[in-house]
Amino acid sequence: MRNTRTRGWDIRPSTGARRLVLAALVLAGLGGLYACARLTQQARPPAAQPQTARPSTPTAPTVAEPAPQPQTSPSPDVFEAQDQLPQPGPPFAKANRDPEVVLKDWPRAAGGEIDWVKALGLKEPKDKLYSPLHRPSLDPKLPPDSPPFPFDIEIPAVGAMPNVIFPHFPHTALLDCANCHPGIFIMKKGSNPISMVKIVNGQFCGRCHGRVAFPISNCTRCHVKPKG
Amino acid sequence: MRAILGAAALVITWGLLAGIMEEPATGFYADMVLNTKAEKRGMPPVVFPHWAHRAEFKCKVCHAPGMTGSGDGPIFEMRSGSNDVDMDKIVNKGLFCGRCHNGQIAWKPVVCARCHAGKPGMVTGTLHASPQ
């Protein structure tokens, strides 16, 4: 110890600090090792996939695919053997079902989840087609849907919180009017007694937000308009 | 010196423990569990990945009224537990998942484990509690 100190280690003031630095170095090294292990783990499944897919492909029924529709998703399933029995376990064990792999290029919100509203503005996120004008309906007999409805509603907030701006645009781009009106929100100003408690308990916005749509942990995503 | 060794040992055990206890991905935000019937009928619960469908479709494809092809209702009501999903309806009647998962639009439900991927005891509803 003392030898090392005399050999030009005296930049560091005390042994305590040196211990800290050493501990940090060890921690960083272990972290690096762990990251490497994780990376190799992640790299393995795609390499193993073709092998599992090969035996099942000849037995897979070669159904003549109908004329390509704009909504069709790629080829039938060839990822697993068809006689495989269900095994309880974590879902999305395979890389092709790992959202972190599939959605790695998608815009993220502050909380780390996918920002589907930002994604809505993208023309072509990778090879996906996700824009307000794509895939209006699965039923070709139905008329094309109406364009998104740009109508912002200001909802007064309690106390010093900035007021809420509810944008109809992303909601009407994704949903139908009948999903919210009149079941969740009555279409009359002042007739919806919204409160954060009700939202947390799954009423009003909380019917979707906090469960399926973006979580309500980030206040500033809705409370955007300062008072005054 | 002893302190350094102690710290190093602590860090190593922490790393090892973290390595062992680290579980693979167990779902994603907004995954839905369907378990009103599955476990009663001896199958693992179904986990529906919302993210995989949202990457391809808008909500209204499944949730807007009039998308069943017959009738006015949506393919799926937007309230957990209010859709009486059942393999007979999916495979034979082409309702619910079977509206697309019929081998023509999307893959056919032939591999049970692809949907019946939940762990026993999962409760119907969103897989993860809302991160408040």
Side-chain angles (χ1 to χ4, degrees), chain A residues 18-34, chain B residues 3-15:
Chain A
R18 202 194 300 161
R19 274 174 204 154
L20 265 177
V21 168
L22 264 171
L25 275 174
V26 169
L27 206 130
L30 276 170
L33 271 175
Y34 184 57
Chain B
I4 294 171
L5 278 175
L10 259 177
V11 165
I12 287 165
T13 44
W14 170 80

Side-chain angles (χ1 to χ4, degrees), chain A residues 19 30 34 38 73 77 89 91-92 97 99 116 128 130 132 134-135 138 145 173-174 179 207 210 212-213 217, chain B residues 4 11 22 25 27-29 31 49 51 54 56-61 63-64 78-79 100 105 114 117 126 130-131:
Chain A
R19 274 174 204 154
L30 276 170
Y34 184 57
R38 284 299 298 272
S73 128
D77 190 27
F92 322 126
R97 267 182 270 161
W116 296 101
K128 302 286 178 192
Y130 192 83
H134 279 123
R135 300 174 195 244
L138 278 182
D145 61 347
L174 292 169
N179 288 127
R207 278 287 293 271
V212 171
S217 45
Chain B
I4 294 171
V11 165
E22 180 78 19
F28 198 66
Y29 181 67
D31 284 348
W51 65 266
R54 290 186 79 170
E56 302 269 356
F57 305 106
K58 299 195 256 179
C59 318
K60 67 172 91 179
V61 172
H63 294 305
M78 288 203 290
R79 195 183 263 283
C100 298
I105 297 174
R114 228 183 144 172
T126 40
S130 171

Side-chain angles (χ1 to χ4, degrees), chain B:
Chain B
M1 197 61 194
R2 203 177 284 166
I4 294 171
L5 278 175
L10 259 177
V11 165
I12 287 165
T13 44
W14 170 80
L16 283 174
L17 273 176
I20 291 163
M21 288 164 76
E22 180 78 19
E23 280 194 0
T26 52
F28 198 66
Y29 181 67
D31 284 348
M32 305 296 292
V33 175
L34 285 77
N35 196 14
T36 44
K37 298 201 187 88
E39 273 199 275
K40 281 180 204 154
R41 297 182 181 180
M43 292 290 284
V46 172
V47 176
F48 169 77
H50 251 119
W51 65 266
H53 294 82
R54 290 186 79 170
E56 302 269 356
F57 305 106
K58 299 195 256 179
C59 318
K60 67 172 91 179
V61 172
C62 298
H63 294 305
M67 287 296 183
T68 50
S70 61
D72 296 331
I75 300 174
F76 289 98
E77 290 283 348
M78 288 203 290
R79 195 183 263 283
S80 53
S82 59
N83 298 292
D84 193 30
V85 188
D86 161 317
M87 280 315 285
D88 174 55
K89 285 179 189 166
I90 293 171
V91 176
N92 300 327
K93 294 172 188 153
L95 299 172
F96 300 113
C97 321
R99 186 94 171 91
C100 298
H101 286 281
N102 53 10
Q104 293 198 339
I105 297 174
W107 46 266
K108 223 173 178 174
V110 282
V111 182
C112 313
R114 228 183 144 172
C115 303
H116 289 272
K119 282 177 179 167
M122 279 179 167
V123 183
T124 301
T126 40
L127 181 57
H128 298 286
S130 171
Q132 301 296 334

